[in-house]
Amino acid sequence: MWRLIRRRHEIEAEIAGEAAAAAAVTAPPAEPDLQAAAFFDVDNTMMRGASIYHFARGLATRGMFTTSDLFKFAVGQAVFRLRGNENPEHIAVARETALAFVAGAKVDDVVRLGEEIYDEVMADRIWGGTRALAQSHLDAGQRVWLVTATPVELARVIAQRLGLTGALGTVAESTDGVYTGRLVGDLLHGPAKAEAVRALARREGLDLTRCTAYSDSANDLPMLSLVGQAVAINPDTELREHARKHDWPIKDFRTGRKATLTALPIAAGVGAVAGGVAAGIALRKHYRGPR
């Protein structure tokens, strides 16, 4: 008796499932728009705070370096943010230091750690409003790339997790799957972002006048000025003023306490490289052990 009743419920469930599937309204896929694309900065634009800071934080939870190291890095970023300038000499020194630390680390291990730490720490820090903007471009058949000073391996992880087309990031040289401690070119920061977008446009046949770029920082004005439509997301003071002067859309997804908290782990120029130093210290300790 109970078997018959259970079987009847199973049949009814199957019928209900088939009926629901038949009644579902499926939107037709958008026609690919191969000449238009969108470019998103990551830190404080797509993600609250700095991606490399969150990566370093994830390494700290794995015991690869101390919370004191992480605190010093965070304070350093805050000081940089308040000073609001970028000394090329300081950037160069920090860059070389970071590269020296990361030399010898395996690329595959960095990618694996990036995937783990994204799921643990970064996923909940994606700005929903910015994510929706990226999705609107995908829904329109356009490709969407992240453009960031963050190491390209970590940038690719973020893009993959968000279902985006790909990422442009700082490229560290590697040989046989191991970092050499040298960059290919320079940090993908400021004018270098614009050059990367130009190069991608040439390769992919994009019409930059039909493309859109998003950022929170005036440091990205070269990239924002390169495309047909620029949008300021959670903008700093200089970018907000520039956007108003040029009638660019401004979208601010920060509210109350969140807007204050984002100022600490901001990654721009030295801040992003400082994150590389912190992560590099952790990876060096992991691979080489104490000296």
Side-chain angles (χ1 to χ4, degrees):
M1 181 66 177
W2 289 110
R3 290 181 180 177
L4 291 175
I5 293 174
R6 185 168 61 250
R7 180 54 185 159
R8 185 181 67 186
H9 285 314
E10 290 173 352
I11 293 173
E12 290 176 348
E14 290 174 3
I15 293 172
E18 291 293 336
V25 177
T26 304
E31 288 292 326
D33 188 348
L34 299 180
Q35 288 190 308
F39 304 98
F40 285 81
D41 173 52
V42 174
D43 298 333
N44 231 34
T45 301
M46 180 63 73
M47 177 183 297
R48 175 159 47 92
S51 52
I52 195 69
Y53 170 85
H54 297 314
F55 182 59
R57 181 180 164 197
L59 294 176
T61 64
R62 288 160 170 77
M64 294 185 178
F65 65 106
T66 68
T67 53
S68 176
D69 293 329
L70 187 65
F71 177 75
K72 290 176 183 177
F73 163 51
V75 170
Q77 287 200 82
V79 170
F80 172 77
R81 176 67 167 177
L82 292 172
R83 289 176 59 185
N85 59 19
E86 295 180 21
N87 184 314
E89 183 179 349
H90 291 170
I91 292 177
V93 171
R95 178 192 62 198
E96 296 305 321
T97 303
L99 290 171
F101 278 129
V102 81
K106 296 179 180 178
V107 176
D108 288 346
D109 286 340
V110 171
V111 172
R112 174 181 55 80
L113 288 167
E115 292 171 343
E116 292 177 5
I117 293 170
Y118 177 87
D119 294 337
E120 295 171 8
V121 180
M122 301 183 195
D124 292 339
R125 288 168 172 76
I126 298 298
W127 293 109
T130 310
R131 178 68 186 88
L133 290 170
Q135 187 61 49
S136 70
H137 287 281
L138 294 172
D139 292 342
Q142 299 175 9
R143 288 169 288 177
V144 178
W145 278 276
L146 300 179
V147 187
T148 175
T150 292
V152 69
E153 290 81 10
L154 182 56
R156 285 173 182 160
V157 167
I158 299 170
Q160 289 168 359
R161 287 295 197 264
L162 295 175
L164 308 182
T165 307
L168 301 172
T170 297
V171 179
E173 183 185 79
S174 63
T175 300
D176 298 326
V178 176
Y179 291 111
T180 65
R182 294 184 293 271
L183 280 184
V184 178
D186 208 338
L187 294 169
L188 200 68
H189 174 69
K193 285 190 177 182
E195 291 302 322
V197 169
R198 283 194 187 95
L200 184 69
R202 288 193 297 269
R203 191 188 77 186
E204 300 293 328
L206 298 173
D207 179 355
L208 288 175
T209 64
R210 299 189 57 233
C211 293
T212 310
Y214 300 81
S215 178
D216 72 297
S217 174
N219 293 323
D220 287 338
L221 282 173
M223 177 180 74
L224 293 169
S225 302
L226 186 64
V227 298
Q229 178 65 72
V231 182
I233 303 289
N234 307 325
D236 60 26
T237 301
E238 184 179 349
L239 178 58
R240 185 180 294 273
E241 292 176 355
H242 188 95
R244 286 173 175 167
K245 181 178 178 181
H246 292 82
D247 295 322
W248 291 353
I250 299 173
K251 297 182 182 296
D252 201 325
F253 302 118
R254 300 167 296 185
T255 57
R257 186 165 173 266
K258 284 185 178 180
T260 302
L261 290 175
T262 55
L264 180 62
I266 187 72
V270 172
V273 181
V277 173
I281 292 171
L283 291 169
R284 183 185 66 168
K285 289 180 179 178
H286 177 65
Y287 286 109
R288 301 178 185 175
R291 293 186 178 180

